[in-house]
Every structure is written in structure tokens, then in C-alpha cells.
Amino acid sequence: MQYYRIGETLELLESLPPEEKSILAVLCPEELPGALLPQGLTPPQPPEDLRENQYCWLHIRQGTLAGEVRLPQRGAQSVRRLAFALAGESLLLVDHNGYAAECLKQLTLPTGHALTAELLAALTQNDLPMLQGLESRLTTLEQGVLADDTDKFIHKMSAIRRELNRENRFYAQLGDFAETMQEDAAELLGHRAQRRVGYFARRVGTLRSEMQMLREYAAQISGEYQAQVDILQNRVMKLLTIVTTIFLPLSLIVGWYGMNFSHIPELKWKYGYPLVILVSIV
């Protein structure tokens, strides 16, 4: 449980001062039930059904703003969460696994409104390197396809596609989150905060565009893999056609001379059997 006075910098306080109008409170989820909060602030309450808003949600009512953003799991990194509530110039952050404290280390802004916007912008500041990592993995798969090295291609591509779909849903919901803040929470935010939320919305849009390009790239690589499979199948079919062409006349000869006819002239001719062998070879 930590309290800060919001000014030109964040000033750490030993306790919550009475009647202070610009306070940042950072609390763990376990501390919320009995914690003292700045006036007007209440802990953010998530909706009962999160299926449609798996990664973020936002509530705006009676001059207060509350929401939460959940970053999807990426590699070995666990899911990170940032829940907040804003009333006036005071801000409450619910610190899940120390993520809020990690974001605050990089921020020193003058108002609670702008601080909220900066925290949201900080959520995506490391996403471009993550997208570049996905692109590198796709490039490696493409090079393997072109070199006929397709060992476990389907498993690898399926894993990447799951990540791409997950990230795409995340950016889609985050884009709606940013647009809602711009359209419905403009009265609660200061001018600077509105500008930063606008930057946040544009950045999310850019990241989603990059994600769409990666999904198209993945579809292109899958098409190249399918083309390689088709080429291999064509080679096999060509070989089978050649074999069939060779043995079809022989099968005809075997069928012809396998008939139980005693009056076939070749059977009584001295050179009949060698002649059939010669014709079969030809």
C-alpha cells in the first residue's frame, strides 16, 4: 500500500493525507477491502461476464472512470493486469504482481488525468519488438519451406497463428477501449490527457495494422507450404503414372495369355514363348 502526491513529480507519502485532492494510491488486490482511499474513489469492479471483454473493460459513471487492461500471455511471461479508478485528480491503481509499480518507475507527470493516459500508453511501448519477434519466426518458417525443410511445420504455424489471433483480439478490444475514452470520457480528462489518449489510440491502431500484416504473411507462408506439398504430390503421381504405363501392357499380355484357350497358335509354336518375352520387353 503506497500513496503519492501528484505534482511535477510523484512524491511518496507515509499515509493518506486528509482532504488532499491529487493523490495516487497504489494497492494490492488483497489490501482493497480495508484500505483508505482518496475521496470519491472506489475500487474498480469488473463486469460479471468478461467473455466479450476478455482483455479490457471500461466503466464511466457519475464523474468517475474505472477500467482494467489485461495483457495476453506472451511466451514465458505471465498475464499482466492494470486496473484503475479515476475521480477528479486522484487515481487508484490496483497492483497485480507488481506491474503497476513497474510502469510508474518511468512516469513523472503533473496531473492524475495525464498520469492515467501515460500509464495506458506505457502498456504497448514494448509491443513492436514483440511483433518483430513474431515476424522473425514467420521468416524462419518461410525459409524452411523454400528449402524443403518442413519438419513439424503445421505444429509451428498453428502455434504462431494462435498467438496472432490472440494479439489481434487484444488490439481490437484495446482500440474500442481507447475510442470509448476519447468519445465518452472527454469531460473527465484534461486537454493533455486527451492528447495522450489520442496518441494511445493511434498507436493501438498502428499495432493492429502490423498484426493484420503478420496474419496475411502467415497465410502467404501457409500457401507456399501447400504449394510445396502439391509439387511433391505431383512428383509422386508422375512416378506412379510412369510405373502404371510400364506395367499396363504387361498386365494385358498376362491377361491375354492367362486365358484357358488350347487353340492359341503361339502355344504350339517353337519360338512362341521367346517371342512373347521379346514383345513384353519392347
Side-chain angles (χ1 to χ4, degrees), residues 137 141 150-162 225:
R137 290 166 61 187
L141 277 182
T150 56
D151 184 36
K152 296 184 178 179
F153 173 86
I154 295 178
H155 295 84
K156 295 176 182 178
M157 179 57 75
S158 296
I160 293 179
R161 277 185 169 175
R162 284 195 298 270
Y225 169 75

Side-chain angles (χ1 to χ4, degrees), residues 121-277:
L123 294 174
T124 58
Q125 64 182 356
N126 295 322
D127 284 15
L128 278 179
M130 180 271 298
L131 296 182
Q132 291 172 358
L134 286 173
E135 184 178 8
S136 298
R137 290 166 61 187
L138 287 171
T139 301
T140 301
L141 277 182
E142 183 181 32
Q143 292 173 347
V145 169
L146 297 178
D148 283 337
D149 181 14
T150 56
D151 184 36
K152 296 184 178 179
F153 173 86
I154 295 178
H155 295 84
K156 295 176 182 178
M157 179 57 75
S158 296
I160 293 179
R161 277 185 169 175
R162 284 195 298 270
E163 293 182 43
L164 292 175
N165 291 335
R166 183 171 61 242
E167 295 293 340
N168 185 65
R169 287 194 301 271
F170 170 65
Y171 289 130
Q173 295 183 16
L174 203 59
D176 292 339
F177 181 95
E179 290 178 4
T180 302
M181 287 195 69
Q182 284 183 301
E183 296 175 3
D184 300 337
E187 297 179 356
L188 302 177
L189 304 175
H191 177 68
R192 180 171 182 176
Q194 291 181 30
R195 288 172 50 195
R196 296 302 293 170
V197 171
Y199 163 78
F200 171 61
R202 292 190 299 272
R203 182 173 179 82
V204 171
T206 300
L207 291 170
R208 191 178 183 191
S209 297
E210 292 289 332
M211 183 59 60
Q212 293 289 353
M213 292 177 60
L214 289 179
R215 295 180 73 189
E216 294 173 3
Y217 186 26
Q220 176 185 341
I221 296 173
S222 296
E224 293 174 357
Y225 169 75
Q226 187 60 47
Q228 291 289 84
V229 172
D230 292 341
I231 291 173
L232 179 60
Q233 289 179 344
N234 289 338
R235 291 174 181 171
V236 173
M237 292 302 297
K238 181 179 179 180
L239 178 61
L240 291 177
T241 302
I242 294 173
V243 172
T244 302
T245 303
I246 292 175
F247 284 95
L248 185 60
L250 302 179
S251 300
L252 176 62
I253 294 172
V254 169
W256 179 265
Y257 285 95
M259 294 186 295
N260 190 17
F261 291 139
S262 60
H263 60 275
I264 296 178
E266 294 91 323
L267 297 178
K268 299 179 181 180
W269 185 34
K270 180 180 179 180
Y271 300 104
Y273 192 61
L275 178 64
V276 171
I277 294 176

Side-chain angles (χ1 to χ4, degrees), residues 90-108:
S90 293
L91 175 66
L92 166 65
L93 295 180
V94 182
D95 194 4
H96 295 273
N97 301 324
Y99 183 58
E102 178 184 338
C103 293
L104 284 173
K105 291 179 181 179
Q106 307 173 8
L107 305 178
T108 53

